[in-house]
Amino acid sequence: MADRPDSPEHGTGSIAILPGTDTTALEFGGAEASEELGLASVRARGYWESVWLRLRRDRLAVAGGVFIILLFVIAFTGAPIASKLLGHGPNEPFLVSGGLDADQLPAGPWTHVGKLMPDGSLDEQLFVLGSDSTLGRDEFLRLLYGAQVSLEVGVGATFLSIFLGALLGAIAGFYRGWSDTLISRMVELTMAFPYLLFVITLGATLGSRLNKVTFGFLGEGVVTLVLVFGLLGWFYSARVFRGVTLSLREKEFVEAARMVGASNWRIIRSHILPHLVGPLIVLATLSVAAFILAEACLSFLGLGIQLPTSSWGNLLAYAPQYYTERPLLMVWPGIALLLTTLAFNLLGDGLRDAFDPRSSR
Amino acid sequence: MSLLPVRPIPGRETTGPVVRPGCSIEGSGMRNKKRLFGIVLAISSLVLLAASAATAAPTAKKGGTIVVEFTTDVDYTDPQLSYYGETWKLEGATACKLLNWPDKEGAAGAVATPEVAAGLPVISANGKTYTFTIKPGFRFSNNKPVTAKSFVDAFNRFANPKMQSTGVSFLDIVQGAQAVIDGKASTISGVKARGNKLVVNLTKASPDFLARTTMPFMQAIDPTLAGQIDANGINTYASCGPYYFSARTPNRSITLKRNPYYKGGRTANADTIQVNIGNDVAVEFQNVEKGTTDYASGGIPPTEWKNVVSKYGLNKKDGRVQVRPLLDVRYVAMNHARPLFKDNPGLAKAVNWAVDRQAFSAQGGYLYGKRTGQILPPGMLGYKPAGIYPLKVTPNSIATAKKLAGGNLRGGKAVMWASNAGVAPLQAQLIQYNLKQIGIDAEIRLLPRAQQFTNAGNPKTSDYDMTVERWGADYADPYDFINILLDGNQVTNPQHNNYAYFNVAKYNKQMAAASLLTGPKRGTAYAALDGAVMRENPPWAPMVNSNDRTFLSNRVGCITINEATGSGPLLNVICLK
């Protein structure tokens, strides 16, 4: 932590000594010494460049990152395109014309169904992964639209919880005293709070109004879950950031800043917060995965996303009804959930190592 | 009545037919009464004969433990509080009543016969006073005798306002009951014990009173239970049927043991009936297949019914898969007390044209039931196919629905309640989609089943526009459907069953008049009401009359299913191989 960009002990000039930087050349007398030794001149690497170089070496983390980018693209642009191409929406039932098979079971993968048109004719359309249930809706489209919901909840809740956690953690760690005591007790209170009970209470009281808040682009129920996860999930990041800040505020560069008359706000903004970026990104990637799983759990319990909006959780919730006849209905959302959380976790691990190469895997 | 948590949409369960209230038993003399009663029995028999499976009396093997599974816990085991199908199944084995259903199948089981009563009651000339003679020999499981006072205690405990029983509307005809319900008296003036005689005075001649005595609310209770007034209910107590509740751990298990002092004529094959609670239908299905559970009372996954029928056959004697029609209806109640449906018959009709009854039924799987657009179920006195609404969605039906809805949408926003168990959420989404086609944007709220109907029946908590409901006959009479579910005079009560908050003076009057009729006139009057209400101002969108589907383990050696009691094999009769 001491070797970050704006620390006074970063040395002089433009060369930053960063964790993991090869300093051999410098020990022999800097650039001149390098030339004397016949070595090519060493270009100083910025902090972020070093992080990126280290991250790039971690193939699993890169794969995770690529998967996440693809997932965002598929969910937010691929889903509407697929819906347009297939000719139907994710909530449209196909009950009388192929959405169910002869045994009244959900149609299997790659089934052609007929859409009942106003004139009574049937328009043939494709169900790539078959039907989601005995309602005869397109499993493939629901999976894609479910990804939107999962990502919205995961990212939204992460932003809120990390923002609250970083803010409160930094205040508690920097100012200590009564603000630390107050915030620490709040953390303990939040940790002890029965969050499932809170979700049920919120659902029964404000739920119906909150669920309607979509800002024109979010799924129904997303805002409720983001608020619940954010308001009850900030404690972990607050604890992390408090610990880091407590350590940072004792560092020489902070003392130096204070000595030259920097205000508390300037010290927090310019000297403390930049050091929190690394752990913040790592924590965020891991939180996204955790919140996606939490959304799936709540939807599985019927407390999450509002019907008929699709989410991976509610796809999983209905699938066991057909587990002997249509086991793939459990597999599709299961795999999606598994790969997404794995990707976020791999990226998180990779980022942790990239930001702090001294930590061992 | 009851909720079947295991069934796709848990709903009210049935307890069946009986002394057909359509036939007069108030008459001028005992001979005439007996003759009329005979007619009652004959009609009841004929009505249910078609639905009955021909199975002979089982060769019973005594002893052992029958294991039953419920997916969710019962509401209560307390006799004056329980109003749930699963509990009534258990109370079918524990209760002793004035009149009861014989442990028989088909027509023989469809006739309520005196159990603790020595015979049919003597009814006064004006039809308002019933005098029962109590048969000696019945004893509770604590060895105390069953007397006329045991029934007086039951009536008083049932009406006690501190008990807050949801079934008290069935006491509306008992003289003095309302005073107790209102807290103005401590005992019902119209129910008295005189030696071994039980005298019940009614406020009006009521053709269905005898049928009401078969409900578990009015079973005999022992003096200890009579003194226990607790709205939370009593879990275990001495009872006078073949079994008694020996243990209950809420949400975990219920144990029924054989009543050692039972001297009545009913069967008690197993030593113990063990009820395990909380497994999902998929797990229950596996347990029954393995033979670790004998009867999954909540059913099995909807998609498995076809498999088990092809694997084990249907309705074979003592076979593993049994299906019987129920006197029930699954419906979408439209709340007429809220702005969307208040004085808006056009929209209510539009909903009836829009809902996809075929797809609704398909959610429940093979042999789920029969589509309907009427209030009364087939087999019920007064049922007459009317063909008012389509049982299958077509482009024409959707066009008609849109036309009827046009101009009547009033903003087009609705809140729809449904159970959160089984296939109910799927059925709710289907209706939501159907409503969207006519311009109604329905928000689904899923609730635990017990919470759904308790809140729906309370005017203070019924903040829904539509609720997906189920009603099973408490006893086989149209009064139990038309009056109990649609009489507007009860909508202000803190607990009632008129979930549509349907309150139209004209129909209230016609319902009251129909309830006093007997014989064919009664059937005709209720048939006319069914047709008129659904045609002119539909309170509901009726969807399906469901079947009772039973799947048993290979350990089970004999069963008896009495369609009159409406839900699965009689637990006291099940025996092991």
Side-chain angles (χ1 to χ4, degrees):
Chain A
M1 285 302 171
D3 296 335
R4 293 293 157 82
D6 53 355
S7 304
E9 63 268 43
H10 276 162
T12 55
S14 60
I15 298 174
I17 302 170
L18 294 162
T21 303
D22 184 356
T23 57
T24 316
L26 302 175
E27 284 163 8
F28 281 91
E32 288 171 15
S34 303
E35 278 171 22
E36 283 169 16
L37 289 168
L39 299 172
S41 61
V42 176
R43 189 176 61 83
R45 282 178 189 154
Y47 173 69
W48 291 105
E49 189 184 358
S50 304
V51 169
W52 168 240
L53 282 174
R54 283 192 291 271
L55 180 67
R56 226 171 49 177
R57 277 186 226 125
D58 188 339
R59 289 182 183 176
L60 285 176
V62 171
V66 170
F67 180 88
I68 291 163
I69 292 166
L70 278 176
L71 187 68
F72 269 91
V73 172
I74 289 169
F76 290 97
T77 60
I81 292 170
S83 176
K84 189 89 179 162
L85 289 175
L86 293 169
H88 53 264
N91 301 331
E92 218 170 314
F94 286 76
L95 288 153
V96 289
S97 48
L100 304 183
D101 68 8
D103 292 332
Q104 296 291 296
L105 286 166
W110 212 261
T111 300
H112 286 88
V113 301
K115 184 175 183 174
L116 190 62
M117 305 308 281
D119 62 0
S121 64
L122 291 176
D123 179 35
E124 192 176 271
Q125 298 182 353
L126 177 68
F127 272 22
V128 179
L129 298 179
S131 302
D132 72 320
S133 63
T134 40
L135 280 179
R137 296 175 299 198
D138 189 330
E139 173 79 0
F140 175 64
L141 283 183
R142 290 185 70 75
L143 206 59
L144 293 185
Y145 278 92
Q148 279 187 9
V149 167
S150 294
L151 292 172
E152 283 167 4
V153 171
V155 173
T158 299
F159 267 118
L160 185 60
S161 65
I162 296 281
F163 172 76
L164 288 175
L167 185 71
L168 294 171
I171 289 171
F174 187 80
Y175 289 102
R176 298 194 297 193
W178 67 266
S179 56
D180 185 22
T181 308
L182 182 72
I183 291 168
S184 296
R185 294 301 81 76
M186 278 168 63
V187 166
E188 284 153 17
L189 197 72
T190 315
M191 285 173 80
F193 203 85
Y195 107 105
L196 199 60
L197 207 64
F198 183 72
V199 176
I200 294 168
T201 311
L202 198 73
T205 52
L206 296 173
S208 58
R209 265 171 282 173
L210 277 178
N211 289 339
K212 289 282 173 197
V213 180
T214 62
F215 300 112
F217 65 95
L218 297 172
E220 283 193 10
V222 168
V223 169
T224 312
L225 289 183
V226 165
L227 282 177
V228 169
F229 294 154
L231 293 176
L232 294 178
W234 59 271
F235 64 85
Y236 186 70
S237 51
R239 284 201 142 189
V240 171
F241 294 129
R242 176 183 170 273
V244 175
T245 310
L246 271 176
S247 155
L248 285 173
R249 75 186 300 278
E250 305 301 332
K251 295 291 179 190
E252 292 83 351
F253 63 89
V254 174
E255 280 177 18
R258 193 171 281 130
M259 205 168 63
V260 296
S263 66
N264 281 342
W265 171 236
R266 185 182 168 80
I267 292 170
I268 290 174
R269 195 190 61 206
S270 304
H271 300 285
I272 305 285
L273 285 180
H275 283 85
L276 298 180
V277 170
L280 188 143
I281 292 174
V282 173
L283 204 58
T285 50
L286 299 175
S287 296
V288 170
F291 288 135
I292 286 175
L293 277 180
E295 180 279 317
C297 292
L298 285 183
S299 294
F300 185 83
L301 294 172
L303 298 169
I305 294 303
Q306 293 305 294
L307 300 172
T309 308
S310 147
S311 86
W312 290 345
N314 61 37
L315 285 176
L316 270 176
Y318 295 122
Q321 292 187 28
Y322 318 103
Y323 77 104
T324 50
E325 306 289 339
R326 294 285 180 267
L328 284 176
L329 290 179
M330 289 194 291
V331 172
W332 305 128
I335 285 179
L337 209 52
L338 173 78
L339 291 179
T340 306
T341 49
L342 185 67
F344 274 107
N345 277 302
L346 288 174
L347 180 66
D349 280 351
L351 283 169
R352 188 186 59 201
D353 294 343
F355 278 111
D356 185 6
R358 286 170 300 184
S359 66
S360 57
R361 299 189 76 169
Chain B
M1 96 140 39
S2 61
L3 309 171
L4 287 190
V6 216
R7 299 254 168 76
I9 291 186
R12 301 294 163 110
E13 209 41 34
T14 58
T15 303
V18 146
V19 177
R20 178 65 76 188
C23 299
S24 167
I25 10 183
E26 77 265 28
S28 53
M30 194 61 197
R31 214 178 74 180
N32 190 31
K33 285 168 206 158
K34 281 189 175 174
R35 186 168 59 85
L36 289 168
F37 193 74
I39 296 168
V40 169
L41 305 188
I43 293 172
S44 302
S45 308
L46 286 170
V47 165
L48 287 162
L49 193 58
S52 66
T55 43
T59 314
K61 184 190 161 191
K62 300 261 180 185
T65 298
I66 298 289
V67 182
V68 180
E69 287 210 55
F70 290 174
T71 47
T72 57
D73 201 1
V74 297
D75 52 350
Y76 306 94
T77 47
D78 190 303
Q80 271 72 52
L81 293 177
S82 63
Y83 202 9
Y84 195 69
E86 305 295 50
T87 328
W88 280 24
K89 277 182 197 177
L90 301 175
E91 288 183 83
T94 61
C96 74
K97 306 166 194 168
L98 291 167
L99 270 71
N100 208 346
W101 311 103
D103 295 336
K104 291 174 182 170
E105 301 213 354
V111 180
T113 51
E115 185 184 17
V116 182
L120 291 174
V122 175
I123 305 169
S124 65
N126 63 6
K128 291 184 181 177
T129 303
Y130 287 65
T131 305
F132 298 89
T133 303
I134 303 302
K135 202 189 286 178
F138 274 89
R139 302 191 87 83
F140 291 99
S141 50
N142 58 7
N143 202 19
K144 288 180 184 165
V146 176
T147 63
K149 190 176 176 299
S150 309
F151 290 96
V152 176
D153 288 343
F155 274 86
N156 285 328
R157 191 169 183 269
F158 185 23
N160 193 314
K162 288 179 185 163
M163 289 297 289
Q164 296 174 27
S165 178
T166 52
V168 287
S169 55
F170 289 107
L171 291 176
D172 62 344
I173 49 170
V174 178
Q175 201 176 78
Q178 197 56 49
V180 178
I181 294 166
D182 295 340
K184 292 173 187 165
S186 57
T187 55
I188 301 175
S189 60
V191 183
K192 298 281 182 205
R194 288 180 195 144
N196 68 340
K197 306 278 187 198
L198 173 74
V199 182
V200 182
N201 290 303
L202 306 181
T203 54
K204 59 184 179 186
S206 180
D208 67 343
F209 174 66
L210 282 184
R212 296 189 195 191
T213 66
T214 62
M215 291 195 290
F217 294 127
M218 296 168 199
Q219 65 184 276
I221 59 170
D222 95 306
T224 313
L225 182 63
Q228 294 174 302
I229 304 299
D230 183 351
N232 295 317
I234 304 299
N235 286 335
T236 57
Y237 52 90
S239 58
C240 52
Y243 291 86
Y244 69 100
F245 289 97
S246 74
R248 181 188 178 199
T249 308
N251 297 311
R252 297 287 297 275
S253 65
I254 298 169
T255 307
L256 269 57
K257 295 268 187 196
R258 201 196 291 267
N259 175 359
Y261 304 103
Y262 182 71
K263 295 284 191 292
R266 299 184 60 205
T267 311
N269 280 331
D271 291 331
T272 304
I273 298 167
Q274 179 64 37
V275 180
N276 298 327
I277 299 163
N279 276 331
D280 181 73
V281 287
V283 178
E284 290 186 11
F285 172 55
Q286 294 299 336
N287 289 345
V288 176
E289 278 281 50
K290 279 188 295 186
T292 52
T293 294
D294 298 306
Y295 168 42
S297 181
I300 63 174
T303 52
E304 296 296 343
W305 285 109
K306 191 153 196 176
N307 295 337
V308 295
V309 167
S310 49
K311 198 168 168 186
Y312 303 113
L314 179 64
N315 289 342
K316 289 183 177 173
K317 184 186 176 307
D318 297 330
R320 294 184 63 179
V321 187
Q322 304 288 334
V323 177
R324 306 282 193 279
L326 284 172
L327 286 173
D328 93 332
V329 62
R330 290 169 192 264
Y331 63 97
V332 182
M334 294 174 267
N335 191 339
H336 284 53
R338 302 241 303 176
L340 188 63
F341 289 105
K342 190 173 185 178
D343 303 321
N344 195 2
L347 188 62
K349 286 178 201 172
V351 171
N352 270 287
W353 277 91
V355 288
D356 189 341
R357 294 173 169 91
Q358 187 182 22
F360 184 92
S361 179
Q363 303 311 309
Y366 188 55
L367 296 173
Y368 181 69
K370 195 177 169 189
R371 288 167 268 161
T372 184
Q374 291 178 239
I375 298 163
L376 295 175
M380 176 68 79
L381 177 74
Y383 171 75
K384 192 176 164 191
I388 304 165
Y389 296 109
L391 302 182
K392 188 179 177 181
V393 165
T394 62
N396 283 344
S397 69
I398 295 171
T400 309
K402 282 179 180 169
K403 200 174 160 189
L404 284 164
N408 294 315
L409 287 169
R410 297 180 181 176
K413 299 272 181 198
V415 171
M416 181 167 64
W417 287 8
S419 162
N420 61 3
V423 295
L426 289 174
Q427 290 172 324
Q429 287 177 78
L430 176 77
I431 294 163
Q432 183 188 44
Y433 178 76
N434 294 150
L435 294 173
K436 199 168 186 178
Q437 289 178 306
I438 58 167
I440 298 176
D441 179 16
E443 177 196 333
I444 297 173
R445 288 193 199 155
L446 299 178
L447 302 166
R449 178 64 184 132
Q451 190 189 340
Q452 185 197 356
F453 72 80
T454 306
N455 287 359
N458 184 341
K460 288 180 183 167
T461 52
S462 54
D463 55 344
Y464 59 86
D465 297 296
M466 309 170 93
T467 182
V468 186
E469 267 299 333
R470 177 186 181 190
W471 183 263
D474 295 301
Y475 54 91
D477 186 76
Y479 178 94
D480 190 45
F481 277 71
I482 302 279
N483 296 62
I484 292 291
L485 301 180
L486 297 171
D487 182 357
N489 293 313
Q490 56 167 316
V491 295
T492 50
N493 293 346
Q495 272 304 326
H496 61 83
N497 301 302
N498 186 348
Y499 304 126
Y501 287 79
F502 188 68
N503 187 8
V504 180
K506 179 177 83 171
Y507 297 128
N508 292 345
K509 212 171 163 184
Q510 288 176 17
M511 285 178 213
S515 72
L516 299 175
L517 297 172
T518 57
K521 283 183 185 170
R522 188 180 180 88
T524 308
Y526 276 113
L529 260 169
D530 187 0
V533 166
M534 283 308 299
R535 194 173 285 114
E536 296 162 15
N537 191 355
W540 308 342
M543 304 299 286
V544 169
N545 300 123
S546 46
N547 287 327
D548 182 24
R549 297 176 293 184
T550 301
F551 180 51
L552 300 157
S553 79
N554 60 3
R555 296 196 328 144
V556 173
C558 57
I559 54 159
T560 297
I561 296 178
N562 185 340
E563 296 85 351
T565 62
S567 50
L570 299 170
L571 297 180
N572 56 309
V573 183
I574 295 183
C575 70
L576 299 174
K577 281 177 185 166

